[in-house]
Amino acid sequence: MQRNPLDTTLCRVILSPMLTRPKAILFDLDDTLISAYGDPGPVWRRLLADHAEAFAPHDPETLTAHVGAYALDFWSDPARHKTWRLKLYEARREIVRGAFEKIGLLEEDPRRAALAHDIADRYSAIRDAEMKLFPESHALLDHLMDQGVKLALITNGEAAMQRAKVRRFDLEHRFHHIQIEGEMGFGKPEEEAYRHALATLGTRPEETWMVGDNYEWEVIAPRRLGLTAIWANNHGHEAPESEHEPHRTLAGLHEFWPLLKETGLA
């Protein structure tokens, strides 16, 4: 017997616990409030196509797949992730060079190592230039501030880079607390990152929401501490298998407004 998809949707709604009005909300930055690193494939493909002659007979599409696969493996190790996200530009150089080395491109022509670094640097420049604020971000933060909700921005990454984004997108005055990993010496998913934010805002876990796109950092770790987890799945990723599920999943910040109505904040 075929199940009606509507039945599954209704079941999820019924089983989802009612949200309580938060006293504080912790927001992630990249790919939560700003569009930053989602879907890197088209940029890699464009850059590799620019150098198609230098890589012949390897085609740009295949090279893009190799770089993407190497990047997934590179970032999958938590310890390596923690080290290299604090020097992101250098990490991208390592990824392109490593991908080229793995498939023998550097053995064929050692001069491609310098080209790998150039491509990685150009990728970084393009991604930085193309970052943009999600349309709903300012209005949502301003509304929450007006409603008396305490707001914290918790972002991983290198200090100067992340602080520059905060200024560029006019976010400084929209938070009671801004917490950048490179400035603090700790970051998500370390418990200290969440506990420090809670202590600074003066709220308890059960009074606080965590909103972000990284399933481990914004769902699994916060739920272990008793926070309400709102998964900002802006890029349509498949949720990993975990005993910890988000209290709500959003396809975009525009879906945050119904949550505010549910809790009397709108």
Side-chain angles (χ1 to χ4, degrees), residues 21-28 140-154 173-178 196-205 207-211 227 256 260 265:
R21 182 181 178 119
K23 290 187 177 180
I25 301 179
L26 317 180
F27 279 94
D28 172 53
L140 176 61
L141 295 172
D142 292 345
H143 176 80
L144 290 169
M145 188 80 77
D146 289 342
Q147 293 296 310
V149 179
K150 296 180 179 179
L151 301 180
L153 181 68
I154 306 182
H173 70 282
R174 291 185 158 91
F175 288 94
H176 300 93
H177 173 58
I178 293 176
H196 181 80
L198 292 172
T200 302
L201 296 179
T203 58
R204 300 189 302 273
E207 302 171 328
T208 308
W209 294 5
M210 178 75 234
V211 182
L227 283 78
F256 207 98
L260 300 186
L265 284 169

Side-chain angles (χ1 to χ4, degrees), residues 63-119:
L63 291 179
T64 299
H66 282 299
V67 170
Y70 194 91
L72 283 175
D73 182 67
F74 183 90
W75 292 117
S76 65
D77 180 79
R80 184 163 55 216
H81 200 301
K82 179 175 174 59
T83 297
W84 284 98
R85 66 179 178 243
L86 295 175
K87 40 186 179 180
L88 186 58
Y89 295 161
E90 292 89 339
R92 288 169 177 158
R93 283 187 167 200
E94 283 291 307
I95 287 168
V96 181
R97 184 203 56 76
F100 286 2
E101 185 175 54
K102 186 174 182 178
I103 61 176
L105 285 180
L106 304 188
E107 185 178 352
E108 293 174 9
D109 186 349
R111 292 174 298 179
R112 288 170 172 164
L115 187 54
H117 286 177
D118 178 65
I119 289 171

Side-chain angles (χ1 to χ4, degrees), residues 226-244:
L227 283 78
T228 295
I230 309 297
W231 187 31
N233 190 18
N234 294 300
H235 298 294
H237 296 307
E238 184 176 349
E241 290 187 11
S242 172
E243 62 178 318
H244 299 289

